[in-house]
């Protein structure tokens, strides 16, 4: 039996560390290999909060099978963010299961990023 969305999110949040928007910005300034990833589809991104500048959009349902060249280095630091956090946690957990070692999700998602005073792109 497949787990419900909320159960999957709870497990993901327990398995992957979160960072605040301020911590994410600090990591962005410190690490050249940092990649932001937004697991929403493009329509959801533009209809809501926008996307963190420089982030790639790779929908959650495509993340498991994605062969994206930007996701080739398992040692790079990746921070995921959706609109509010849950899908970001799921994406980070998926990446961790794929062998990425430095994966985080933004607590509060892109909305938390905006609330902290950081810009997004539409």
């Amino acid at each position: 039996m497949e787990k419900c969305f909320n159960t999957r999110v709870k497990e993901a949040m327990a398995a992957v560390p979160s960072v605040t928007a301020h911590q994410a910005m600090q990591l962005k300034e410190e690490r050249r290999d940092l990649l932001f990833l937004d697991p929403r589809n493009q329509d959801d991104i533009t209809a809501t909060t926008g996307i963190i500048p420089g982030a790639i959009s790779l929908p959650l349902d495509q993340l498991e099978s994605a062969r994206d060249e930007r996701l080739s280095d398992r040692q790079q630091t990746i921070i995921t963010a959706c609109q509010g956090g849950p899908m970001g946690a799921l994406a980070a957990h998926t990446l961790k299961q794929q062998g990425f070692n430095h994966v985080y999700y933004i607590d509060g998602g892109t909305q938390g990023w905006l609330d902290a005073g950081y810009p997004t792109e539409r």
Side-chain angles (χ1 to χ4, degrees):
M1 184 166 91
E2 191 171 321
K3 296 176 185 176
C4 74
F5 180 79
N6 289 339
T7 299
R8 290 176 42 227
V9 168
K10 187 175 182 179
E11 289 175 356
M13 289 180 166
V16 180
S18 67
V19 293
T20 65
H22 294 298
Q23 290 169 321
M25 179 56 86
Q26 183 177 5
L27 286 169
K28 180 180 181 181
E29 292 170 351
E30 292 173 357
R31 299 189 180 174
R32 295 194 183 274
D33 72 334
L34 179 75
L35 175 69
F36 283 102
L37 185 146
D38 194 315
R40 298 176 287 167
N41 66 47
Q42 195 61 45
D43 290 341
D44 289 339
I45 290 170
T46 56
T48 57
T49 59
I51 192 168
I52 293 171
I56 64 168
S57 172
L58 187 59
L60 184 60
D61 61 349
Q62 297 175 16
L63 188 58
E64 288 185 11
S65 61
R67 300 290 179 252
D68 193 300
E69 62 195 35
R70 297 167 292 187
L71 296 176
S72 61
D73 180 2
R74 298 290 196 262
Q75 296 303 315
Q76 81 183 113
T77 301
I78 301 174
I79 299 177
T80 62
C82 63
Q83 180 178 348
M87 283 180 57
L90 291 174
H93 191 226
T94 298
L95 291 166
K96 184 175 180 179
Q97 291 173 322
Q98 291 176 351
F100 287 88
N101 295 312
H102 308 287
V103 181
Y104 309 89
Y105 69 94
I106 296 179
D107 187 26
T110 307
Q111 186 60 57
W113 179 266
L114 283 169
D115 292 346
Y118 302 122
T120 60
E121 298 172 341
R122 295 221 179 238

